[in-house]
Amino acid sequence: ATTGLLWFVKTETFCKPFPVVKPHLEAHREWVAGLRDGGYPHPITSGYRVDAESKPGGGGLMILAAPDHASALELVLQDPLVANDCVDWQLNGWVSEVGGITLT
């Protein structure tokens, strides 16, 4: 991550039927776009996991940089999918051992 920041990964799976989740998923996309457009000063990206045939259903993945776990958690708790109890989720720090990543 950028100097002084740590990487974090949020994984999630829907825990409600898709019709219930859908409006919150749209709000999640808008929320992340807003963060990327200047609402969050550090790298962040979000997407979903797919199977071997590129079909969705494996759950979501968000990668972000933050100064510490508490800061990352504070941000994740604002995610519309999390705030509306649409997903079972987990937030973990990520430590690169070989190579690294750059988010655009």
Side-chain angles (χ1 to χ4, degrees):
T2 307
T3 303
L5 297 175
L6 304 170
W7 286 117
F8 293 90
V9 177
K10 178 187 69 140
T11 53
E12 64 192 18
T13 54
F14 295 156
C15 62
K16 293 184 177 175
F18 186 72
V20 173
V21 172
K22 188 174 180 182
H24 303 294
L25 180 58
E26 292 301 323
H28 162 83
R29 290 178 181 135
E30 292 172 10
W31 175 71
V32 174
L35 292 173
R36 290 179 54 83
D37 287 341
Y40 186 66
H42 311 304
I44 186 167
T45 190
S46 181
Y48 57 92
R49 297 173 283 163
V50 297
D51 65 15
E53 285 80 42
S54 297
K55 294 179 184 170
L61 177 71
M62 186 165 72
I63 302 171
L64 64 137
D68 52 45
H69 189 274
S71 300
L73 180 60
E74 182 179 347
L75 182 71
V76 166
L77 291 174
Q78 297 172 37
D79 182 336
L81 289 171
V82 172
N84 289 284
D85 296 319
C86 294
V87 291
D88 291 324
W89 60 278
Q90 187 171 18
L91 177 67
N92 297 98
W94 180 74
V95 178
S96 173
E97 287 205 356
V98 179
I101 59 174
T102 302
L103 299 180
T104 59

